[in-house]
Amino acid sequence: MIRRLMLAAAVAALPVVALAGDARRDAILADYAAKARAADKGFSAFSAQRGETLFRTKWTGGDARTSSCTACHTANPRQPGQNAKTGRPIEPVAVSVNPKRFTDPATVEKQFTRDCRSVLGRDCTPLEKGDYITFMAGQ
Amino acid sequence: MRPLTFTLLATLLLLTFPARAGNDWMPPVRDATVQKECGTCHMAFQPGFLPARSWTRMMGSLSDHFGEDASLPDDKTEIIRNYLTANAGDVVNWGRAARYMQWVAPGGTPQRITENPDFLRKHRFPESVWKNPKVVTKSNCVACHSGAERGLYE
């Protein structure tokens, strides 16, 4: 009986853990949400769909070798990527296969700055950053 | 039989060890900050391939690093500059590092390892090799030298 109870409790806890994600990632998202709201009072929530569009769009403002995030992170974020400029392999960016992703705020900010300038030729907005992480957290 | 195998092994070890540790080994990067910050876009290259003044110049121009913005906060830049200059080719000045330094003009501040004549001499490959999608560029040492990050180039 006790064993069955424990099992039931464990099973019940599982999806909650998966949904709750990582507290550090949640804090990063909350920070971007506050900035997005400051920029636009109409902001309501991040969108995985907008994040996917950002990820797949071919931009024209940046480096010709990297017109899209997929140039290095590949079209499938669950797959390993490769840096189009240096050939160096890159670990998958989808959170489901790489749970460390988007958990260190300094790394996240540094890479957004570098990669958005390289691809879009400008910085990404807090809204775009939050959308992107939301998309990857569901991948 | 046993002693013979042992002697053979010992001789082999003696033969290969000095060749590796003595002449051809390039001391790898042992600093965590350098490994992390200079190993994101490409492998963290060993400081022994360039003289200290080259690293000083590079660390002073990270915002335009081969067309990339590789800038870092000042405290990290300082740690990395100190490590690279303290372990630079003209400081180590021994083995492979010394061989690379022979080709550096007095006062010169080369920024590329892949333009050193010692590198060029060993890498005369057809263009198709460099265009291979796994290689992409000459500076992708790891694509061909699996031990590159440990300083092993054979």
Side-chain angles (χ1 to χ4, degrees), chain A:
Chain A
M1 183 59 190
I2 289 179
R3 265 183 78 184
R4 214 193 285 160
L5 254 174
M6 274 166 63
L7 199 80
V11 169
L14 267 178
V16 178
V17 170
L19 274 177
D22 190 297
R24 290 166 300 174
R25 189 175 310 112
D26 293 345
I28 293 172
L29 278 170
D31 182 51
Y32 286 139
K35 290 186 175 126
R37 198 167 296 115
D40 174 12
K41 289 213 169 50
F43 168 82
S44 61
F46 291 126
S47 144
Q49 205 184 340
R50 282 196 310 257
E52 176 161 19
T53 306
L54 169 69
F55 179 67
R56 298 196 190 281
T57 300
K58 293 246 178 291
W59 303 85
T60 48
D63 187 315
R65 291 170 295 177
T66 56
S67 57
S68 149
C69 306
T70 62
C72 297
H73 294 306
T74 81
N76 180 354
R78 288 186 214 91
Q79 294 289 315
Q82 188 191 21
N83 193 313
K85 296 171 183 170
T86 64
R88 187 157 179 80
I90 303 176
E91 284 177 27
V93 281
V95 170
S96 64
V97 281
N98 196 351
K100 315 190 289 296
R101 289 297 182 193
F102 318 108
T103 52
D104 175 44
T107 302
V108 168
E109 258 305 290
K110 183 179 65 189
Q111 276 314 135
F112 268 130
T113 303
R114 276 181 193 160
D115 295 347
C116 291
R117 286 182 190 170
S118 177
V119 173
L120 292 81
R122 62 162 173 84
D123 287 328
C124 287
T125 63
L127 179 69
E128 287 170 324
K129 294 174 188 175
D131 287 345
Y132 185 83
I133 296 177
T134 304
F135 168 58
M136 290 303 173
Q139 287 297 300

Side-chain angles (χ1 to χ4, degrees), chain B residues 81-100:
Chain B
R81 187 196 297 111
N82 289 344
Y83 183 83
L84 295 176
T85 52
N87 295 280
D90 52 343
V91 176
V92 173
N93 215 2
W94 162 85
R96 197 182 296 292
R99 289 210 293 287
Y100 267 68

Side-chain angles (χ1 to χ4, degrees), chain B residues 133-149:
Chain B
K134 284 220 156 65
V135 176
V136 180
T137 168
K138 289 184 183 173
S139 68
N140 189 8
C141 323
V142 189
C144 307
H145 304 279
S146 58
E149 312 222 26

Side-chain angles (χ1 to χ4, degrees), chain B residues 53-67:
Chain B
R53 54 188 185 274
S54 289
W55 295 118
T56 304
R57 179 179 153 203
M58 191 174 290
M59 293 311 293
S61 54
L62 284 181
S63 62
D64 185 8
H65 177 77
F66 302 91

Side-chain angles (χ1 to χ4, degrees), chain B residues 71-81:
Chain B
S71 347
L72 291 168
D74 289 345
D75 55 336
K76 291 209 168 133
T77 306
E78 183 67 17
I79 294 170
I80 297 170
R81 187 196 297 111

